[in-house]
Amino acid sequence: MEDNIRRYVDDLFSEATPTRKAVELKEEMIQNLNDKYRDLVSGGKTNEAAYNITIAGIGDISSLLAELEKDMENNRQTRQDTDASRQKSAMLTALAVMMYILCVLPLIVLNFIGFSFASQIGVPLMFIMIAGATGLLVYNSMTKSNSANNSDTMVEEFREWQSDDRDRKALRKAVSSALWSIILALYFIISFTTFAWHITWIIFIIGAVIESLINVLFTVKKRR
């Protein structure tokens, strides 16, 4: 009879979307019905009578199935909103990285053409671009959607983990680009100011050490 109970409940849920919540609810219902059936049999009911009483006690579950479908639709809308938020985040991050990479360009160009006030103009422009890129990253971080996805399937959970991993890698690349843009800018500023080109290259070694420390920090955070 317990197999009959399962088939009956499977039939009730046949039109429901097989989300994790729906499957868990169905299995819980089957377990409860089987417990009730066994209690009735233990109380002296025949197998047939116990089965009929158990099935009759289920009642109308149409409202429950409608609620499951509503939850599914809400989750679908949440995923769409999350995907839109991620696209916006990727665009802002890419723009910030581009600004970090190009921030030294004004100083290099002005010095290359021999502009007399290259440092006085190029350096402020460089820091304005760095400030703008940093502002974009801060804005992106503060406005990024933090709503839970409430994944209903293992596939969705995997997609969520995969997306988080991509976001972490994107942030790591942005930090690396910002670091080396600043290091390159400092190299040119110090070199053009002091003309100590034979020494200023050491700043690249310092930059490599700093990046190694950042890699360690990201690795520790990922393991946590």
Side-chain angles (χ1 to χ4, degrees):
M1 287 296 182
E2 293 185 5
D3 289 339
N4 292 338
I5 291 175
R6 172 171 289 277
R7 283 194 292 270
Y8 185 88
V9 176
D10 284 340
D11 185 62
L12 290 177
F13 280 81
S14 61
E15 295 183 2
T17 304
T19 62
R20 185 177 65 180
K21 184 176 181 180
V23 172
E24 289 176 350
L25 181 60
K26 184 181 72 173
E27 292 299 323
E28 182 180 357
M29 180 180 292
I30 292 173
Q31 182 62 46
N32 291 336
L33 291 174
N34 284 332
D35 291 342
K36 182 178 180 180
Y37 168 78
R38 285 191 287 267
D39 289 341
L40 290 171
V41 172
S42 299
K45 299 291 183 181
T46 63
N47 290 343
E48 188 70 24
Y51 172 79
N52 290 333
I53 294 173
T54 300
I55 295 302
I58 296 177
D60 185 11
I61 67 168
S62 58
S63 60
L64 177 61
L65 297 178
E67 184 177 345
L68 289 175
E69 291 301 315
K70 182 178 179 180
D71 288 343
M72 183 64 183
E73 183 62 30
N74 290 337
N75 288 335
R76 186 180 296 110
Q77 183 62 45
T78 299
R79 287 194 295 270
Q80 291 176 353
D81 294 341
T82 301
D83 289 341
S85 176
R86 285 170 181 161
Q87 290 178 1
K88 175 185 175 184
S89 175
M91 181 182 67
L92 291 175
T93 301
L95 181 59
V97 171
M98 182 180 69
M99 291 176 66
Y100 277 128
I101 294 173
L102 297 178
C103 68
V104 297
L105 190 60
L107 182 62
I108 295 174
V109 171
L110 291 175
N111 277 287
F112 180 77
I113 64 177
F115 190 70
S116 57
F117 297 101
S119 298
Q120 290 86 339
I121 296 178
V123 174
L125 287 176
M126 179 191 69
F127 281 107
I128 287 173
M129 293 181 69
I130 291 175
T134 304
L136 284 176
L137 291 178
V138 172
Y139 172 79
N140 181 40
S141 176
M142 294 181 67
T143 58
K144 191 174 182 180
S145 174
N146 291 320
S147 58
N149 199 5
N150 295 327
S151 302
D152 281 329
T153 65
M154 293 181 64
V155 173
E156 291 300 331
E157 290 178 351
F158 175 75
R159 288 180 59 193
E160 184 70 19
W161 170 84
Q162 196 175 41
S163 176
D164 291 341
D165 190 55
R166 284 198 300 267
D167 290 343
R168 186 163 46 247
K169 289 180 179 179
L171 177 60
R172 176 66 191 88
K173 290 179 180 179
V175 171
S176 179
S177 297
L179 172 65
W180 286 105
S181 296
I182 293 173
I183 288 174
L184 186 61
L186 289 174
Y187 170 74
F188 281 111
I189 292 172
I190 296 173
S191 298
F192 280 115
T193 303
T194 63
F195 294 99
W197 298 89
H198 61 291
I199 299 176
T200 53
W201 60 269
I202 296 177
I203 193 172
F204 292 108
I205 298 178
I206 298 174
V209 173
I210 294 174
E211 185 170 37
S212 297
L213 292 175
I214 292 175
N215 285 331
V216 171
L217 292 175
F218 270 85
T219 301
V220 171
K221 184 177 179 181
K222 181 178 180 179
R223 289 178 178 176
R224 288 180 180 177

